[in-house]
């Protein structure tokens, strides 16, 4: 028989030891058909030639996508043939589709099944069903556990080319043309030699001093010492470079020569230290990596322009960079006197990260998804925890392509084939139908066999246990339905139901007195259980329903929440509401804690997202030792500009009565160190200021409630200005001021409008309010109202437009303001195809330890969908729903009254609302 063959020396030399054999086996190279960019093959023509020379038949499936032309395989002795069922050994690079697997064959490819990856379990099941013997290249390792078959070097080469190209684009976006602009993506070069020449040309310009001075010395950090890192360094060496020790990086990053670039190679001992004493012990680290931490974030990263990451990360091992590290690294540098508009300095030292390991959520925590060859770059914005496909804006340029060698397919194929070739013959001489134990494999091949004869091999039986464990966990989750009671069926209920219904384990009961609204909700969301009831009247029934649920989400008016909370306390059921944590709710704090439940308030828009955006910025400032000296926040729900076509420039997207009552509330705020008090009764409308941060929208704003009470919970007692307010289009306050003058925004009981009273027209009601005895002519009533309005034409226009001087009936209500609210809800409702808009603007002044001032401008603008949810419904409903889901899933388990001021609460909510289209923007302005 034929013994295994081994490399004999020389680049392409192979020595094959021939003995007598009884048949010639057939090998097939299958076509890659999973990814459009996959142009590699497991063997090159020279390997086919060596096998054909020994009398082996090599089939090659035709493929126009493969980088190496078919004629080269034919010339080497290969046979181009679609049908490869004759082969006993079928080799590929990536996994084949399940329907193309041929039974009782031996396959070799990267299967990505060894961690029981859920996405590839159908593939594994089909392999087992078809009695396929699978050899996974990833598990072909030597006696030290080092992989002997891999594309690692070419991942490093391609990754380095790509990130140099990306840095050219990123520098340009920051205002700098650099020599890196002359380097293309790796796949634009026929081979690495062409790429090397392009990098050398770039390096020549750098050596001539053509890098912008304001960019400063360029430094690269290479993590790891394996093939990936070596491949990247090989390309880096084509630049005028100087390698320094990690401890020297700080100095060269500040005072290095601009005519060269600097690199440092990082090994474990350079940054890993034991948590207890700061010492590195390699033997202990291998056994207990959880006892160690990395100093990369403080000792290395602050001095790196680009990090090229090539290390493999496992659970429990220290990360190189966390999200918090990114926030600190992206803190704006204080501009020097030499910086000008045309020659700006970099906003921060770290410009780019090339994560060649492409390990999502791994050593680079905020690398949460890989980029692609089609879209190779994205920006990670540490302030917003978002990733966007661009090279512009704030943040770090990221490149994390997970199939980099496919960009240099010919050399990758040749190199990979050289490593795989020594093991081919022993694979060919085996029989996939024979028992695995009877096969005479070398340890390298034997330990890489995942399946054989319809079962997992002994070494990989753990995969089934991993699957069973995961499936058991999922099954338990399915068995335990989580029951949610939703109270209310208004504007906000739709997004709440839609979000929670995404989880099939959540059952929702929606209770409301509004029968038609419930009917519409049930029609749109068939999974909910609608219950018509007046939760404010039928307390016994409400108590019974609360007991049967795991969580209550109350979308009722805030005045009803204490009653609902008491029911939740009695039944020990958690509660979530978007409304303010009122004094009446605060009185229940001890009872809530004693019951051991969670009651979350203020997780809507305002209050809600305003808190979260504020705390995210404030917490980041504190992390870098800065102090918040001012905070202003304005928010408003408005019609989109094209639909603000009435004298109030306003339409209702939430409780009309709440909107009107807000205008007569008292307000308190802090301005330049002085407390300003505005009394109740309408004086608020005289404290209106022009808001010009979006000049095209013509906005005004007025204070909202007591702003000063947030100094302590926000932890900004140092602030000299603290103001929260409401936004409207200019002219709104003037128009509503007319209602106050006429006494229409009155909360006292009005017997004239009760159900038992005779019906009344608006003109009759106005006569009574003005003390006019009927009959009164229309012109006389108009004149009297005009005089009462201090002859304000705009206020009179609003009164007349609403029909308050005409013969329309006044709606039945307990109060004047209640009747006006019902009337205005009809007059100022959104028409078909009209949409609303949410605007929130936070401005935060920050004093840094360095002495410079920073102004943070946080803007949130959300439009409603003409055929979907309103902006108000989305911005209140989705944060509320996310908070509810976090309570259900145990992400929020704090007992007592909770508002979203803690990072473990606001962080996930801010991240998840962006997936729902609620995206905010942060701008930073540094002042001397």
């Amino acid at each position: 028989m034929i013994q295994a063959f081994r490399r004999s020396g020389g680049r392409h030399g192979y020595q094959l030891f021939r003995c007598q054999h009884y048949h010639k086996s057939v090998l097939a190279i299958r076509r890659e058909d999973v990814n459009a960019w996959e142009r590699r093959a497991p063997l090159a023509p020279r390997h086919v030639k060596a096998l054909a020379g020994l009398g082996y038949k090599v089939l090659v499936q035709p493929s126009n996508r493969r980088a190496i032309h078919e004629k080269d395989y034919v010339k080497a002795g290969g046979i181009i043939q679609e049908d490869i069922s004759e082969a006993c050994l079928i080799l590929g690079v990536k996994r084949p589709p399940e329907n193309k697997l041929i039974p009782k064959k031996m396959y070799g490819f990267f299967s990505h099944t060894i961690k029981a990856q859920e996405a590839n379990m159908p593939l594994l099941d089909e392999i087992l069903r078809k009695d396929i013997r699978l050899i996974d290249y990833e598990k072909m390792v030597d006696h030290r556990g080092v992989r002997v078959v891999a594309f690692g070097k070419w991942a490093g080469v391609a990754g380095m080319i790509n990130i140099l190209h990306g840095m050219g684009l990123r520098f340009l976006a920051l205002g700098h043309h650099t020599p890196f602009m002359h380097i293309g993506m790796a796949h634009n070069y026929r081979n690495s030699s062409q790429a090397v020449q392009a990098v050398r040309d770039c390096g020549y310009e750098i050596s001539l001093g053509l890098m912008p001075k304001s960019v400063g010395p360029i430094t690269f950090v290479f993590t790891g010492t394996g093939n990936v890192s070596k491949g990247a360094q090989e390309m880096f060496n084509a630049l005028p470079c100087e390698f320094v020790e990690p401890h020297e990086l700080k100095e060269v990053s500040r005072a290095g020569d601009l005519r060269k670039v600097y690199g440092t190679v990082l090994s474990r001992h350079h940054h890993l230290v034991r948590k207890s004493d700061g010492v590195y012990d390699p033997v202990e680290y291998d056994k207990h990596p959880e006892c160690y931490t990395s100093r990369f974030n403080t000792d290395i990263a602050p001095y790196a322009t680009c990090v090229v990451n090539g290390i493999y990360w496992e659970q429990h091992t220290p990360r190189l960079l966390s999200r918090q590290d990114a926030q600190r690294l992206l803190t704006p540098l204080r501009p020097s006197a030499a910086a000008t508009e045309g020659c700006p300095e970099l906003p921060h030292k770290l410009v780019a990260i090339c994560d060649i390991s492409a390990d999502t959520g791994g050593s680079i925590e905020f690398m949460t998804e890989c980029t692609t060859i089609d879209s190779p770059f994205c920006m990670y914005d540490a302030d917003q925890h978002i990733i966007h496909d661009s090279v512009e804006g704030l943040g770090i340029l990221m490149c994390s392509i997970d199939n980099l060698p496919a960009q240099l397919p010919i050399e990758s194929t040749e190199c990979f084939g050289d490593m795989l070739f020594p093991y081919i013959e022993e694979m060919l001489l085996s029989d996939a139908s024979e028992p695995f134990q009877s096969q005479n494999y070398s340890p390298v091949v034997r330990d890489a066999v995942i399946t054989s004869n319809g079962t997992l091999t002994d070494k990989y039986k753990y995969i089934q246990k991993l699957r069973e464990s995961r499936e058991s966990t999922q099954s338990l989750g399915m068995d335990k339905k989580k029951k949610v009671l939703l109270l209310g069926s208004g504007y906000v209920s739709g997004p709440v139901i839609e979000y929670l219904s995404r989880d099939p384990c959540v059952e929702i009961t929606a209770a409301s007195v509004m029968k038609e609204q419930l009917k519409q909700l049930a029609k749109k969301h068939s999974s909910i259980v609608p219950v018509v009831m007046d939760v404010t009247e039928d307390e016994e029934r409400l108590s019974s329903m609360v007991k049967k649920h795991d969580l209550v989400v109350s979308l009722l008016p805030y005045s009803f929440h204490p009653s609902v909370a008491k029911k939740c306390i009695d039944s020990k059921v958690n509660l979530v509401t978007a409304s303010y944590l009122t004094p009446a709710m605060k009185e229940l704090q001890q009872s809530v804690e004693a019951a051991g439940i969670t009651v979350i308030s203020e997780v809507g828009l305002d209050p809600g997202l305003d808190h979260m955006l504020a705390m995210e910025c404030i917490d980041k400032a504190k992390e870098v030792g800065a102090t918040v000296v001012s905070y202003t926040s304005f928010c408003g729900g408005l019609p989109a500009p094209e639909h603000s076509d009435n004298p109030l420039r306003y339409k209702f997207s939430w409780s009309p009565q709440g909107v009107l009552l807000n205008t007569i509330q008292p307000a308190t705020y802090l301005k330049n160190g002085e407390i300003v008090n505005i009394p109740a009764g309408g004086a608020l409308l005289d404290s209106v200021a022009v808001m010009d941060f979006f000049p095209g929208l013509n906005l005004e704003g007025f204070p909202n409630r007591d702003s000063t009470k947030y100094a302590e919970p926000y932890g900004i007692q140092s602030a000299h200005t603290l103001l929260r307010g409401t936004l409207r289009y200019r002219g709104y306050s003037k128009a509503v001021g007319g209602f106050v003058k006429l006494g229409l925004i009155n909360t006292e009981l009005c017997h004239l409008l009760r159900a038992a009273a005779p019906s009344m027209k608006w003109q009759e009601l106005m006569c009574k309010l003005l003390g006019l005895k009927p009959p009164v002519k229309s012109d006389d009533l108009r004149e009297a109202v005009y005089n009462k309005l201090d002859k304000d034409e705009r206020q009179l226009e609003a009164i007349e437009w609403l029909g308050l001087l005409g013969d329309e009936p006044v709606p039945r209500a307990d109060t004047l303001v209640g009747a006006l609210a019902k009337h205005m809800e009809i007059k100022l409702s959104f028409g078909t195809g009209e949409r609303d808009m949410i605007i929130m603007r936070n401005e935060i002044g920050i004093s840094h330890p360095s002495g410079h001032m920073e102004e943070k401008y946080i803007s949130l603008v959300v439009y409603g969908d003409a055929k979907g949810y309103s902006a108000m419904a989305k911005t209140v409903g989705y944060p509320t729903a996310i908070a509810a889901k976090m309570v259900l899933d145990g992400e929020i388990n704090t007992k007592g009254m909770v508002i979203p001021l803690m990072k473990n609460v606001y962080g996930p909510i801010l991240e998840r609302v962006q997936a729902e289209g609620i995206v905010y923007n942060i701008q930073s302005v540094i002042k001397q």
Side-chain angles (χ1 to χ4, degrees):
M1 54 184 297
I2 300 179
Q3 299 176 2
F5 49 85
R6 297 288 182 263
R7 291 285 297 272
S8 65
R11 186 176 178 190
H12 306 309
Y14 301 95
Q15 183 177 356
L16 295 99
F17 300 95
R18 297 193 53 148
C19 299
Q20 184 180 10
H21 58 86
Y22 301 101
H23 67 278
K24 293 294 183 181
S25 301
V26 180
L27 177 148
I29 298 173
R30 67 172 305 275
R31 162 174 65 244
E32 301 298 322
D33 44 15
V34 171
N35 184 290
W37 282 97
E38 192 49 78
R39 299 174 292 156
R40 293 173 289 177
L43 297 174
R46 64 169 178 252
H47 309 118
V48 171
K49 183 177 182 179
L51 290 168
L54 290 169
Y56 288 100
K57 186 176 182 180
V58 181
L59 305 178
V60 181
Q61 267 194 326
S63 173
N64 287 346
R65 184 179 290 151
R66 192 181 292 122
I68 299 177
H69 200 277
E70 290 176 0
K71 68 179 183 181
D72 293 320
Y73 283 103
V74 172
K75 187 177 180 180
I79 300 170
I80 306 301
Q81 183 172 306
E82 180 66 32
D83 182 5
I84 57 174
S85 59
E86 180 186 355
C88 64
L89 173 64
I90 301 172
L91 300 179
V93 177
K94 295 293 188 179
R95 54 158 288 173
E98 288 97 279
N99 63 348
K100 293 186 179 180
L101 289 168
I102 303 174
K104 300 185 183 302
K105 302 292 183 182
M106 182 182 300
Y107 276 83
F109 55 85
F110 289 103
S111 73
H112 301 295
T113 60
I114 59 174
K115 296 179 183 177
Q117 291 96 317
E118 192 168 3
N120 292 323
M121 289 302 96
L123 170 68
L124 183 61
D125 288 339
E126 193 67 6
I127 287 171
L128 291 169
R129 191 180 72 81
K130 291 183 175 179
D131 289 341
I132 288 169
R133 182 170 293 164
L134 170 62
I135 296 173
D136 194 319
Y137 305 138
E138 190 174 355
K139 299 307 293 182
M140 295 181 69
V141 298
D142 62 18
H143 65 282
R144 299 166 299 169
V146 177
R147 289 174 61 183
V148 298
V149 179
F151 286 102
K153 172 190 172 182
W154 297 101
V157 170
M160 193 67 203
I161 298 169
N162 292 340
I163 200 62
L164 291 176
H165 168 71
M167 289 176 68
L169 299 176
R170 178 58 180 158
F171 278 131
L172 188 64
L174 291 171
H176 310 279
H177 170 79
T178 66
F180 295 127
M181 282 296 295
H182 304 311
I183 300 174
M185 289 289 289
H187 59 267
N188 289 335
Y189 302 103
R190 174 171 171 75
N191 53 43
S192 61
S193 297
Q194 287 188 355
V196 166
Q197 188 56 53
V199 175
R200 283 176 178 161
D201 290 344
C202 164
Y204 177 68
E205 292 194 9
I206 293 174
S207 68
L208 294 177
L210 298 183
M211 283 294 289
K213 291 182 180 179
S214 55
V215 167
I218 304 296
T219 55
F220 291 80
V221 174
F222 299 89
T223 64
T225 56
N227 290 329
V228 169
S229 181
K230 289 175 181 176
Q233 292 173 53
E234 184 178 303
M235 192 57 57
F236 179 72
N237 280 322
L239 296 170
C241 62
E242 178 183 341
F243 280 92
V244 298
E245 289 297 313
H247 69 270
E248 298 174 311
L249 195 65
K250 181 177 181 179
E251 179 60 28
V252 298
S253 74
R254 294 174 177 173
D257 190 343
L258 296 180
R259 294 169 299 178
K260 63 173 73 170
V261 294
Y262 294 88
T264 191
V265 181
L266 205 67
S267 297
R268 288 178 175 179
H269 69 275
H270 289 126
H271 68 105
L272 294 174
V273 294
R274 194 159 43 216
K275 293 176 182 177
S276 59
D277 57 11
V279 174
Y280 174 67
D281 181 338
V283 176
E284 183 193 42
Y285 177 77
D286 285 337
K287 295 179 180 177
H288 301 288
E290 70 278 1
C291 297
Y292 284 73
T293 188
S294 172
R295 288 181 175 168
F296 182 83
N297 61 337
T298 56
D299 295 357
I300 306 296
Y303 316 111
T305 308
C306 177
V307 174
V308 182
N309 182 38
I311 60 173
Y312 178 74
W313 184 82
E314 290 183 336
Q315 200 73 31
H316 308 306
T317 59
R319 286 189 167 93
L320 290 177
L321 292 174
S322 68
R323 288 178 169 178
Q324 291 73 28
D325 296 329
Q327 291 165 2
R328 286 189 288 270
L329 291 169
L330 297 188
T331 300
L333 299 173
R334 187 174 185 177
S336 68
T340 65
E341 183 177 355
C343 302
E345 293 179 339
L346 297 179
H348 35 75
K349 182 66 180 177
L350 183 58
V351 172
I353 295 177
C354 182
D355 192 358
I356 300 175
S357 70
D359 195 355
T360 56
S363 53
I364 309 294
E365 184 187 26
F366 46 87
M367 198 287 283
T368 55
E369 56 184 272
C370 293
T371 57
T372 65
I373 298 174
D374 295 305
S375 300
F377 306 111
C378 64
M379 294 296 298
Y380 173 67
D381 187 336
D383 271 341
Q384 300 188 45
H385 289 321
I386 63 168
I387 293 175
H388 50 92
D389 292 330
S390 175
V391 295
E392 299 181 351
L394 302 173
I396 308 169
L397 181 79
M398 303 285 292
C399 181
S400 52
I401 300 169
D402 61 0
N403 59 337
L404 286 166
Q407 292 184 272
L408 297 169
I410 296 177
E411 288 161 296
S412 294
T413 295
E414 291 173 343
C415 182
F416 186 82
D418 287 347
M419 292 183 281
L420 179 63
F421 192 85
Y423 305 98
I424 294 292
E425 193 164 6
E426 63 179 288
M427 297 180 192
L428 276 168
L429 292 177
S430 67
D431 187 340
S433 64
E434 294 293 322
F436 173 59
Q437 294 78 7
S438 68
Q439 305 300 296
N440 187 25
Y441 289 134
S442 66
V444 170
V445 175
R446 183 188 65 239
D447 291 345
V449 177
I450 308 294
T451 67
S452 184
N453 311 106
T455 64
L456 292 163
T457 58
D458 290 344
K459 186 176 180 182
Y460 296 98
K461 289 191 183 299
Y462 72 85
I463 294 176
Q464 184 59 28
K465 292 180 181 178
L466 285 177
R467 293 183 69 179
E468 290 172 356
S469 175
R470 181 178 63 235
E471 289 165 3
S472 174
T473 301
Q474 291 174 345
S475 177
L476 285 173
M478 290 296 289
D479 291 342
K480 190 178 186 324
K481 291 282 188 177
K482 299 170 184 176
K483 298 182 178 181
V484 176
L485 175 60
L486 180 73
L487 303 179
S489 57
Y491 296 109
V492 177
S493 58
V496 174
I497 293 171
E498 185 270 324
Y499 186 90
L500 292 177
S501 297
R502 296 175 191 174
D503 185 345
C505 294
V506 174
E507 288 184 352
I508 303 172
T509 299
S512 172
V513 72
M514 307 299 290
K515 187 175 181 179
E516 191 58 35
Q517 287 183 351
L518 267 183
K519 183 179 178 181
Q520 292 302 317
L521 283 175
K523 184 178 180 181
K524 188 173 182 180
H525 306 282
S526 58
S527 61
I528 70 167
V529 178
V531 176
V532 179
M533 63 174 288
D534 188 343
V535 299
T536 65
E537 295 290 338
D538 198 343
E539 294 198 14
E540 187 174 333
R541 190 179 179 192
L542 176 60
S543 295
S544 176
M545 293 186 68
V546 168
K547 286 178 184 178
K548 298 175 183 177
H549 291 80
D550 301 301
L551 174 71
V552 175
V553 178
S554 179
L555 303 178
L556 301 173
Y558 71 89
S559 58
F560 297 115
H561 290 153
S563 175
V564 174
K566 289 173 183 176
K567 305 292 187 295
C568 291
I569 292 168
D570 292 341
S571 300
K572 297 186 177 180
V573 174
N574 297 322
L575 171 65
V576 174
T577 172
S579 301
Y580 278 105
L581 182 60
T582 60
M585 286 289 284
K586 288 180 180 178
E587 290 177 2
L588 301 175
Q589 171 75 21
Q590 289 185 346
S591 299
V592 169
E593 291 177 356
I597 65 172
T598 301
V599 175
I600 301 182
S601 302
E602 305 190 12
V603 285
L605 170 67
D606 178 5
L609 290 177
D610 55 346
H611 293 328
M612 302 181 216
L613 292 172
M615 290 309 301
E616 183 182 49
C617 183
I618 292 166
D619 283 345
K620 287 175 185 175
K622 290 180 179 179
E623 284 176 7
V624 297
T627 303
V628 173
V629 296
S630 65
Y631 170 77
T632 61
S633 175
F634 280 86
C635 181
L638 304 164
E642 66 272 25
H643 303 309
S644 58
D645 50 354
N646 62 68
L648 278 79
R649 285 82 162 159
Y650 190 77
K651 290 181 180 179
F652 291 104
S653 56
W654 70 291
S655 168
Q657 187 163 327
V659 171
L660 293 173
L661 290 177
N662 274 354
T663 62
I664 61 170
Q665 297 293 328
T668 303
Y669 61 94
L670 180 68
K671 184 174 182 180
N672 297 325
E674 293 186 4
I675 298 289
V676 179
N677 290 301
I678 299 174
L684 198 64
L685 300 174
D686 297 325
S687 304
V688 175
V690 173
M691 299 282 114
D692 59 359
F693 43 80
F694 295 137
L697 291 179
N698 202 22
L699 299 171
E700 66 183 24
F702 49 87
N704 185 16
R705 307 195 185 210
D706 184 359
S707 301
T708 62
K709 69 179 183 180
Y710 289 97
E712 184 175 344
Y714 281 10
I716 54 173
Q717 293 90 336
S718 55
H720 58 67
T721 296
L722 182 52
L723 172 59
R724 288 161 49 86
T726 300
L727 288 174
R728 294 288 183 261
Y729 287 124
R730 206 174 303 177
Y732 169 87
S733 300
K734 170 73 76 174
V736 174
F739 305 148
V740 176
K741 291 177 183 177
L742 293 172
L744 288 170
I745 306 182
N746 189 326
T747 59
E748 295 178 0
L749 286 176
C750 182
H751 297 288
L752 293 172
L753 304 178
R754 303 295 294 268
S759 61
M760 180 176 289
K761 298 177 181 179
W762 275 108
Q763 59 187 7
E764 294 174 328
L765 178 60
M766 294 300 289
C767 287
K768 288 187 177 294
L769 292 176
L770 295 174
L772 301 176
K773 293 181 180 181
V776 178
K777 294 181 180 179
S778 297
D779 289 344
D780 293 338
L781 176 58
R782 184 179 187 278
E783 185 67 22
V785 169
Y786 184 51
N787 291 329
K788 185 69 175 178
L789 296 176
D790 300 322
K791 299 186 177 181
D792 191 299
E793 295 284 354
R794 282 202 167 184
Q795 291 180 343
L796 180 62
E797 180 191 6
I799 297 295
E800 289 188 305
W801 187 90
L802 285 169
L804 301 185
L805 302 184
D807 57 3
E808 292 183 53
V810 181
R812 298 292 186 180
D814 292 332
T815 63
L816 282 172
V817 70
L820 179 63
K822 290 180 178 181
H823 182 75
M824 291 178 70
E825 185 172 15
I826 297 170
K827 293 287 187 178
L828 297 176
S829 62
F830 283 88
T832 303
E834 294 185 343
R835 53 185 191 149
D836 68 330
M837 175 177 65
I838 290 297
I839 302 176
M840 182 184 291
R841 173 77 165 197
N842 288 355
E843 298 186 0
I844 303 177
I846 301 169
S847 175
H848 285 271
S850 60
H852 70 272
M853 290 294 298
E854 179 184 9
E855 288 288 340
K856 285 276 191 183
Y857 303 115
I858 307 170
S859 302
L860 171 66
V861 180
V862 179
Y863 284 89
D865 301 321
K867 296 183 179 180
Y869 299 128
S870 68
M872 182 65 76
K874 288 192 287 188
T875 53
V876 175
Y878 282 124
T880 302
I882 292 168
K885 188 68 167 62
M886 290 173 70
V887 173
L888 284 174
D889 293 345
E891 285 186 79
I892 300 176
N893 52 24
T894 304
K895 305 306 177 187
M897 296 291 189
V898 176
I899 58 175
L901 303 182
M902 298 175 292
K903 196 168 190 176
N904 66 319
V905 177
Y906 72 69
I909 295 176
L910 286 179
E911 185 172 353
R912 293 169 197 175
V913 294
Q914 295 182 73
E916 311 306 326
I918 302 172
V919 180
Y920 53 95
N921 177 58
I922 300 178
Q923 292 179 306
S924 179
V925 176
I926 305 298
K927 300 178 180 179
Q928 298 297 325

